[in-house]
Amino acid sequence: MRILNNNLWLDGFLDYHRLPGEYRIKITHYFTIKKLDNLYFSPSKSVRLVFNYLREIGLKAVLRKIYSRSRESFRNDKYLACGIGVICEKDSNSSFPLDQVVLFIAPNHPQCLEHICLPSELIQPISTTKFTNLVSDKTNDIHYGEIPELSEKSETWYKVIGWSSYSGIKLSPDDSKEVFIYLKQIISRQQLPIKTTLKSTSRVIKVNNTVKSNGSNSNNITAVLFGYGQYAKTNIIPNLNKRIVISRIHEIDPCQLGPIEKHSISLDTSPYPHIDNRFDIYFVAGYHHTHTPIALHALSKNAYAVVEKPIATTRTQLNEILEVLKSTSGNLFACFQKRYLPFNEFVFLDMQLRMGDPINYHCIVYEVKLPERHWYHWPNSQSRIVSNGTHWIDHFLYLNNYSNLENYNLWHATNGDVICVAELENGATFSMTLTDHGSGRIGMQEYIELRSNNTTIRIKNSSDYFAENQSKIIRSKKTNKMDAYSKMYLTISERIVKGLPGDSRESIYSSTDLMLKYEEMQNS
């Protein structure tokens, strides 16, 4: 389809995937109301910021980040809009018929586009002749304009702004009533605020299979990637074994994919795999609540599932994963990069411990304050414990060989900090403070302190390591904090190429179970 960006009509994009219960609408009139901010992380274009990151992660990683971020500006350009269109695709049991003319609200979409997929709560059928005359012609023109934001808005107006079908936020018809009343007032005027008329087509393309897959070589291992964001571009794709060929990318936002002609592999805007699809490896880095369904599909195909954190966001999802792992010949790798820190091997040497001996683990994690409408705030994403804290929970358990849990607790400070504590059967203790109060000079920062056998180890930002005992400094080391990410995907992909097993069922249970215990405690 075509998308308007910075008043330029661009061609070659896939259409949005239509979720069950949604309607695909061919747009005839489209009016932007408000450009949205606070949806995504958008670092300032600062020489000082670049310099800070150069010192922290090195030139190569900085150039990758800059290149990736620069290509996301189109994705970030989203609006609250509304308009008129005609239903061209729906479920067989949906209420509104095909060819029904409707008013619609676009809560989180590009400046203008040819087709849009929305639930019934954001659609109102038009029955009067006055309105249907607006779309009575048979041309493919789209009339684009702008209307001002309503000056006095209720809470329901704010609920619609930036809403997503993937958020887990339930809408009711009342939530959109105020916007529809305003839209009808605009349309009822004699002169619509149309700035330009754009030529459209009638094509709906949700999957691009026109490109021959590079996975046809018998020596190659075929892979599919879910989520084409900065993480995948800078950490997954550059660090795979050369025999692994990504044959398909699933990305729900067509703006993130860009024009399909720029890609040499198959593309899809579905958040989930199709039932008949089969790949050797499924790399999963999309919205958190989608990780488990994709992993279950991969395991049902006896394939490898390489899953970014979290493995599951609910107790039901964890139980489903554990059940499937009992019977599948597929394998699951959990992408907790702290398991791959180059300092881990020093910990046992410097503390003179064996795997399973108790290591007390205490950390303070500074998280950059989230933009107001960032998807980490969605109910489907759960809390900051699931979205981020799970890394340190897993690292603590990993260093203690996943000893059984004895005790745990959680406390919310009045300033919003979250403090988690735990004790294991082997005697190891854990404390974690998650906070967004502090310096964001180089993004997320962390401080870890390990204590055991009269030895203290301090790890700062996954890059500085310092170990001392009662008599001397044992070791001091520095590394690039991005090394753990590259080592993780290189190690995992090499294990897959060799046909080696994934992570143990016990490690997946232990880490995710404690994370969910904290989540359940704070929601109780």
Side-chain angles (χ1 to χ4, degrees), residues 339-354 359 395 398-399 450 452 455-459 462-468 474-479 487:
R339 297 182 186 181
Y340 300 85
L341 278 176
F343 302 141
N344 287 341
E345 59 184 277
F346 299 148
V347 170
F348 295 95
L349 289 173
D350 296 345
M351 288 185 161
Q352 298 182 0
L353 299 175
R354 296 172 300 176
I359 299 176
H395 194 213
Y398 170 80
L399 291 176
L450 309 176
S452 190
T455 303
T456 299
I457 293 173
R458 301 179 185 90
I459 303 173
S462 297
S463 59
D464 295 289
Y465 177 94
F466 181 87
E468 62 180 348
I474 303 169
R475 193 189 310 263
S476 180
K477 287 284 185 180
K478 289 182 72 69
T479 189
K487 181 182 178 183

